[in-house]
Amino acid sequence: MTTTFPDVTISTDRLVLRPFEEDDVTALAEMMNDEQVTAWTSCPHPYTRADAHAWATRDSHAERGEGRGIAFAVTEFLTQRLVGIVHLQNTNWRTRVTEVGYVTAPWARGEGYASESVLAVAQWLFRAQRFERLELRTAADNTASQQVAQKIGCISEGVLRNAWIVRTQTPDGSWSDTRTDLIVWSLVPEDLEDTDEFSDGSSGSFSDGYDGYGFGRRADAHGYAVSTDWH
């Protein structure tokens, strides 16, 4: 039984989803230091260039190599700028279930990139990889991320009470931890049976063979588990 995802790129009319590479380090560090990313994820704060370098060159590739998931750098097709991250993780190969998280760069919010990229990954996951369930968890107050879940057709299944920690900024500029509920969402293959196009009308494709990346030790916790996108 296959226990790792293939090296793959996924393309839509506007986006290319590909493995991370060293050239992404500067843009990744900038994106992950945004206040909204700090608030909704458990990523290191401050997110240093060393953190970004480890993720782009080693840890994100270890996700795939060790069978735990796969991390995509989401880029604009025309400009090749880093738009964000889509990250499949906590993968169970026996049940064919995995969890998706996503982050969108501040400059790219409001363009529908999160829903477009996550839907493209979901279609690839169900159609090419024969998975049976995709889970998504959003913090209770992260309404924009919940809107993305709704836009791509996710079904809200319930609430995990007191299950996550978010950060809130204090008047002096420091950050403190606050517990929050998580809303659990899911997609299953039949939810996308009638979906032949992405939410913005663009078509999608994918191809194997995006190789040339090494695999390192087990990835550090970068906190992409709780989806983060703002409009």
Side-chain angles (χ1 to χ4, degrees):
M1 181 179 69
T2 300
T3 57
T4 59
F5 288 114
D7 247 345
V8 65
T9 59
I10 301 174
S11 299
T12 73
D13 283 349
R14 300 193 299 169
L15 302 173
V16 176
L17 287 70
R18 55 162 175 78
F20 276 90
E21 54 194 36
E22 189 167 5
D23 287 346
D24 296 318
V25 168
T26 298
L28 178 63
E30 181 179 348
M31 177 175 68
M32 299 309 294
N33 277 304
D34 175 69
E35 289 183 356
Q36 296 291 345
V37 176
T38 300
W40 294 117
T41 77
S42 60
C43 295
H45 178 72
Y47 194 91
T48 66
R49 185 176 179 85
D51 292 325
H53 188 271
W55 178 255
T57 64
R58 183 188 65 207
D59 294 343
S60 64
H61 307 295
E63 288 280 304
R64 192 190 74 83
E66 296 173 6
R68 290 179 283 121
I70 187 170
F72 293 99
V74 184
T75 63
E76 282 188 324
F77 175 76
L78 292 178
T79 68
Q80 300 184 31
R81 288 186 73 182
L82 183 68
V83 166
I85 302 167
V86 175
H87 184 191
L88 299 182
Q89 58 197 335
N90 301 324
T91 302
N92 187 317
W93 290 96
R94 180 175 180 273
T95 61
R96 311 299 282 190
V97 174
T98 192
E99 182 181 337
V100 65
Y102 48 90
V103 175
T104 303
W107 65 268
R109 294 169 191 159
E111 300 295 330
Y113 286 151
S115 55
E116 183 175 336
S117 57
V118 175
L119 183 56
V121 170
Q123 291 175 322
W124 167 77
L125 185 72
F126 293 149
R127 296 172 182 174
Q129 300 302 306
R130 299 295 187 261
F131 267 61
E132 297 295 334
R133 176 180 168 87
L134 179 63
E135 294 184 358
L136 192 160
R137 302 181 181 193
T138 62
D141 292 332
N142 193 348
T143 56
S145 191
Q146 293 159 26
Q147 290 170 1
V148 172
Q150 292 170 334
K151 187 174 182 181
I152 66 174
C154 290
I155 303 300
S156 176
E157 295 184 333
V159 176
L160 300 176
R161 296 183 300 163
N162 224 29
W164 190 250
I165 294 175
V166 297
R167 298 183 181 111
T168 56
Q169 196 163 22
T170 61
D172 65 1
S174 62
W175 294 86
S176 62
D177 291 343
T178 303
R179 297 206 70 90
T180 185
D181 297 342
L182 286 178
I183 301 175
V184 180
W185 308 79
S186 71
L187 275 176
V188 297
E190 51 263 38
D191 294 332
L192 298 184
E193 283 179 354
D194 298 325
T195 305
D196 295 323
E197 295 181 336
F198 300 116
S199 56
D200 71 336
S202 60
S203 60
S205 62
F206 53 87
S207 60
D208 294 333
Y210 204 111
D211 54 11
Y213 293 90
F215 309 121
R217 63 176 177 81
R218 179 171 297 276
D220 297 328
H222 274 65
Y224 302 135
V226 176
S227 306
T228 53
D229 185 73
W230 301 268
H231 296 266

